[in-house]
């Protein structure tokens, strides 16, 4: 919002429900309140796979609201949109096809090396109009090196650009959608396995539902925020695993995002053992 010149004061953060999905009633109320105040809501952003918990907003409902309110519907699917590649996960992205624009990253769940983000915009003419510019030194021509319009630079701010598409092409060509989808499904199965292990351990607690490949949990104890922050750093420094942390309703959570095709159940067991060991040691 800052880079587009609106400023973050123009951004409305909408409350989420118990599953960490956008509260559509709060959304509709906010849009009405803003219109009442003479403002012009124009952009609705839904998330397909949130960073913190992997939650999916109800995209069909958001598409309906955006249509009724004449707003642009953008979906942040940085990693979650690619769930479309696993038939078992595809229902999560229902409604995605109604987005006006979609951002997602090949460098996350598709295993393409950094960096390779992607944006799809439905209205090609509008997209072109937004970015095209034709300075004298870039004259378009019917033939010769100036031919082949529209050029890639007509669709974004970059003029010079790397050939990022090549690594995506190789990844898809070498592994194929089915195998990549199967790897993603396996990550989600490992996340469910981790969630079950946490629920079976009285010293641990799950802090959010696990709809995808992300698990948020903590070791119970006095001063849990500090304790769990220390547990995570200990495990990172020991070289056992690399969980991160986040905050769930203000409380610090150990956040495990499973994206490697090499991860197996034994790794999950090792992580749980390490959390239990560090938690007991640090609270002793
Ligand atoms: C990773 C991520 C981003 C940021 O994407 P980058 O490609 O790292 O800039 C935005 N939104 C979500 C949901 C993400 O997971």
């Amino acid at each position: 919002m800052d880079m587009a010149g609106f400023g973050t004061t123009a951004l409305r953060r909408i409350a989420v429900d118990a599953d960490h999905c956008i509260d559509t009633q709060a959304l509709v109320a906010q849009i009405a309140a803003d219109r009442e105040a003479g403002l012009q809501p124009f952009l609705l952003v839904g998330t397909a796979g949130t960073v913190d918990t992997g939650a999916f907003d109800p995209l069909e409902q958001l598409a309906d609201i955006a249509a009724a309110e004449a707003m642009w519907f953008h979906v942040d699917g940085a990693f979650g949109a690619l769930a479309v590649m696993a038939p078992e996960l595809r229902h999560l992205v229902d409604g995605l096809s109604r987005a006006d624009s979609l951002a997602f990253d090949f460098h996350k769940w598709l295993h393409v090396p950094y960096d390779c983000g992607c944006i799809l915009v439905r209205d090609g003419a509008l997209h072109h109009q937004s970015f095209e510019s034709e300075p004298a030194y870039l004259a378009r021509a019917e033939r010769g090196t100036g031919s082949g319009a529209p050029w890639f630079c007509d669709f974004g701010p970059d003029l010079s650009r790397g050939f990022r598409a090549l690594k995506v092409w190789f990844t898809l060509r070498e592994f194929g959608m089915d195998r990549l989808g199967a790897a993603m499904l396996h990550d989600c199965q490992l996340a469910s396995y981790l969630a079950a292990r946490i629920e079976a351990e009285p010293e641990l607690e799950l802090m959010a539902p696990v709809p995808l490949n992300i698990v948020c949990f903590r070791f119970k104890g006095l001063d849990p925020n500090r304790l769990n922050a220390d547990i995570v750093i200990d495990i990172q420094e020991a070289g056992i695993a690399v969980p991160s942390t986040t905050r769930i309703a203000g409380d610090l959570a150990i956040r495990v995002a499973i994206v490697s095709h090499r991860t197996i159940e034994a790794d999950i067991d090792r992580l749980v053992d390490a959390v239990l060991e560090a938690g007991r040691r640090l609270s002793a």
Side-chain angles (χ1 to χ4, degrees):
M1 297 297 280
D2 276 340
M3 284 193 284
F6 296 104
T8 40
T9 50
L11 175 69
R12 298 288 179 273
R13 292 168 192 273
I14 308 300
V16 294
D17 62 20
D19 289 331
H20 300 264
C21 305
I22 194 168
D23 175 343
T24 49
Q25 281 183 0
L27 169 66
V28 170
Q30 182 68 57
I31 294 170
D34 280 342
R35 287 208 197 283
E36 189 67 26
L39 301 171
Q40 193 184 344
F42 70 98
L43 170 67
L44 171 53
V45 180
T47 304
T50 60
V51 176
D52 287 334
T53 71
F56 281 74
D57 287 333
L59 302 177
E60 287 282 8
Q61 276 185 61
L62 294 188
D64 288 341
I65 294 168
E69 299 283 350
M71 293 169 76
W72 182 278
F73 180 36
H74 174 76
V75 175
D76 177 355
F79 82 92
L82 287 167
V84 75
M85 295 179 78
E88 298 83 351
L89 303 174
R90 197 165 290 158
H91 65 278
L92 292 168
V93 297
D94 283 349
L96 186 67
S97 57
R98 294 173 64 195
D100 293 302
S101 54
L102 165 68
F104 64 103
D105 279 339
F106 290 114
H107 63 226
K108 285 187 177 163
W109 232 358
L110 205 76
H111 302 83
V112 170
Y114 281 169
D115 67 321
C116 195
C118 185
I119 183 158
L120 299 178
V121 178
R122 181 176 303 283
D123 186 334
L126 202 54
H127 187 183
H128 186 255
Q129 263 172 42
S130 305
F131 291 102
E132 69 160 327
S133 84
E134 196 176 327
Y137 53 88
L138 294 177
R140 314 299 149 93
E142 286 294 317
R143 47 198 192 87
T145 50
S147 64
W151 295 358
F152 283 120
C153 63
D154 294 331
F155 293 101
D158 301 18
L159 176 56
S160 309
R161 54 172 64 224
F163 189 4
R164 295 184 178 100
L166 183 63
K167 55 193 177 184
V168 178
W169 185 84
F170 267 117
T171 301
L172 290 171
R173 174 129 187 140
E174 172 64 19
F175 301 111
M177 300 267 277
D178 293 348
R179 278 176 73 198
L180 290 162
M184 290 173 198
L185 182 64
H186 185 238
D187 293 335
C188 295
Q189 288 163 342
L190 288 171
S192 300
Y193 176 75
L194 174 56
R197 287 244 25 217
I198 291 160
E199 289 187 309
E201 292 290 345
E203 292 158 286
L204 304 179
E205 68 182 316
L206 209 52
M207 293 177 72
V210 181
L212 207 63
N213 61 337
I214 296 174
V215 182
C216 290
F217 71 107
R218 67 178 172 182
F219 188 92
K220 295 181 198 167
L222 293 171
D223 199 358
N225 290 350
R226 206 168 144 189
L227 172 62
N228 283 279
D230 285 340
I231 290 172
V232 165
I233 294 172
D234 271 15
I235 291 173
Q236 290 172 352
E237 288 186 340
I240 294 169
V242 193
S244 63
T245 61
T246 191
R247 295 261 171 180
I248 303 288
D251 293 324
L252 188 130
I254 301 174
R255 174 181 173 277
V256 177
I258 304 166
V259 291
S260 170
H261 60 286
R262 293 202 186 95
T263 304
I264 56 174
E265 278 186 8
D267 299 314
I268 304 294
D269 290 333
R270 230 180 133 205
L271 170 71
V272 172
D273 292 346
V275 171
L276 289 170
E277 184 280 320
R280 287 169 192 153
R281 176 169 42 78
L282 291 166
S283 30

